[in-house]
């Protein structure tokens, strides 16, 4: 399994932007479907976005569609989440996660489907 380390979280005002990064080590990153999930205080962990091994297919939760963009660079073993037009309800710990799959398309998946996880990075959006 790959080991994942997130970075890029922080405090931002509503309407602002942040870009999260997730660096992978060990395992074959290019054969992993990767995703971002989040957990707000008192809430269950939820799916945010995922991207296929090739980067050719992406999926987003309705709550972030049109505002967030997931991308990956297999040469750098890194996946990104660009978050625009941030809202206070986006405040959460964001986790990078993945599972081995060479499927060409991705869809919304529950957190349990993701087998490798990072430690999480805090994103706080102030109103």
């Amino acid at each position: 399994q790959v080991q994942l380390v997130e970075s890029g979280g922080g405090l931002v005002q509503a309407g602002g932007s942040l870009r999260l990064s997730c660096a992978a080590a060990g395992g074959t990153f290019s054969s992993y479907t990767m995703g971002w999930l989040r957990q707000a205080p008192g809430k269950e962990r939820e799916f945010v976005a995922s991207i296929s091994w090739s980067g050719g297919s992406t999926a987003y939760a309705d709550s972030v569609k049109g505002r967030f963009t997931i991308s990956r660079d297999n040469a750098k073993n890194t996946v990104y989440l660009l978050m625009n037009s941030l809202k206070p309800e986006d405040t959460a710990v964001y986790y990078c996660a993945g599972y081995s799959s060479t499927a060409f398309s991705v869809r919304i998946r529950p957190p349990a489907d993701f087998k490798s996880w990072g430690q999480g990075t805090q994103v706080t959006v102030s109103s």
Side-chain angles (χ1 to χ4, degrees), residues 27-43:
T28 308
F29 177 75
S30 59
S31 66
Y32 271 62
T33 290
M34 297 300 298
W36 289 93
L37 299 93
R38 66 187 182 186
Q39 187 166 18
K43 295 188 176 181

Side-chain angles (χ1 to χ4, degrees), residues 26-124:
T28 308
F29 177 75
S30 59
S31 66
Y32 271 62
T33 290
M34 297 300 298
W36 289 93
L37 299 93
R38 66 187 182 186
Q39 187 166 18
K43 295 188 176 181
E44 293 186 351
R45 196 168 296 188
E46 64 176 2
F47 174 93
V48 174
S50 66
I51 187 167
S52 63
W53 66 274
S54 67
S57 176
T58 56
Y60 296 92
D62 286 345
S63 59
V64 307
K65 199 173 295 184
R67 300 188 297 122
F68 290 11
T69 302
I70 188 171
S71 61
R72 68 189 295 161
D73 185 338
N74 286 345
K76 296 182 178 180
N77 287 352
T78 302
V79 62
Y80 306 95
L81 184 69
L82 175 62
M83 304 184 293
N84 294 323
S85 302
L86 282 161
K87 305 175 181 180
E89 51 263 45
D90 294 318
T91 294
V93 176
Y94 283 71
Y95 296 91
C96 171
Y99 58 91
S100 181
S101 174
T102 54
F104 285 100
S105 63
V106 294
R107 57 180 175 83
I108 294 173
R109 285 187 173 272
D113 284 3
F114 293 84
K115 305 307 181 185
S116 297
W117 290 82
Q119 81 288 352
T121 185
Q122 177 70 46
V123 171
T124 302

